[in-house]
Every structure is written in C-alpha cells, then in structure tokens.
Amino acid sequence: MFERCIGLAWCSGCRIFTGSMVQVPRKRELVDALASLGSGQRERLERSEARLIDFLDRRAQD
C-alpha cells in the first residue's frame, strides 16, 4: 500500500524546482528536514518558497 505525497526536487545551481505527486510506501518513514527548528522559524520558512529553498540548499551543503 502507498500514500500519496507531494515530492519536491530542486537544482541549487539553476534555482529551478518542481513538484509532483509521488507514491511512498506506507511503512517508509519520511525525514522532516525542518524538525529541528523552532515553531517560529519553521513557520517563517513555510511562508516563503525562496527562504525554504535557501535553507534546504544550505543544509544540503553541510
């Protein structure tokens, strides 16, 4: 059995991202890239696609 989720992919070099519906097995645990943030910082990122992608780019470089 699968769950439908929104899958996002981006290229930090060309700054283009895309989203699509993907199927994920129900038993697979998804990692929350924002889990370590406080609620205020998380809400700020969730309100801006540009800030969210910048945050994820910086995290991927670490």
Side-chain angles (χ1 to χ4, degrees):
M1 296 302 246
F2 294 92
E3 293 288 336
R4 289 186 302 173
C5 298
I6 297 172
L8 298 173
W10 75 93
C11 173
S12 59
C14 62
R15 308 288 296 167
I16 294 174
F17 73 98
T18 184
S20 62
M21 293 298 291
V22 297
Q23 292 187 342
V24 178
R26 286 187 179 176
K27 293 183 179 185
R28 181 169 181 183
E29 187 174 328
L30 299 177
V31 176
D32 183 353
L34 307 180
S36 64
L37 303 177
S39 61
Q41 188 177 10
R42 183 182 182 112
E43 288 174 12
R44 183 173 177 263
L45 289 175
E46 290 173 344
R47 286 193 302 259
S48 169
E49 290 176 358
R51 281 193 294 252
L52 177 60
I53 290 173
D54 285 342
F55 172 82
L56 294 172
D57 276 346
R58 285 191 308 274
R59 184 173 171 167
Q61 292 172 5
D62 292 342

